[in-house]
Amino acid sequence: MSQLLLVAAGGAVGATLRHLSGIAAMRLFGAGFPWGTVFVNVFGSFLMGLFIELAARRFGASQEVRLFVATGCLGGFTTFSTFSLDAMALAERGSHTLAAIYVIGSVVVGIAALFAGLALARGLA
């Protein structure tokens, strides 16, 4: 149960930071392009790489710290960071074809699923 609370607390922090980043980007650059989303995806992926290499691999961060920071904070900030970490892990294991399938499949099928959900909701309305 305490692990779930760590993830939930971290997720609240990350989601709040994502929201504030979106507001800041819109105020700075306008609403014509999703700069806030680009920022959190790229910066969150950078932070995930930094955290995993330094805290988790080099300094042996505890399970609780990893859950709070990686799964909670960074997962709440952007799931793209986890997506990037999973793709990198596949590639580092030498599974380059699987990594490519994962990346292309996630993006293409994810967008297709969004369109399907929109179509379904619009058909029900």
Side-chain angles (χ1 to χ4, degrees), residues 1-84:
M1 183 62 163
S2 65
Q3 291 181 340
L4 289 177
L5 292 175
L6 287 169
V7 172
V13 170
T16 301
L17 291 173
R18 179 180 66 235
H19 178 67
L20 293 174
S21 295
I23 290 171
M26 192 174 305
R27 286 184 181 161
L28 288 171
F29 304 112
F33 186 81
W35 287 112
T37 302
V38 171
F39 171 77
V40 297
N41 285 344
V42 172
F43 190 57
S45 294
F46 171 78
L47 291 175
M48 180 68 84
L50 189 67
F51 175 76
I52 292 300
E53 185 58 35
L54 292 178
R57 290 187 180 170
R58 291 202 184 166
F59 298 113
S62 69
Q63 173 79 6
E64 290 78 15
V65 169
R66 292 194 312 265
L67 285 171
F68 177 77
V69 175
T71 305
C73 292
L74 293 174
F77 187 60
T78 173
T79 57
F80 196 82
S81 60
T82 303
F83 168 78
S84 299

Side-chain angles (χ1 to χ4, degrees), residues 89-104:
L90 286 168
E92 278 194 344
R93 286 195 301 252
S95 300
H96 299 288
T97 301
L98 280 179
I101 291 168
Y102 174 67
V103 169
I104 294 166

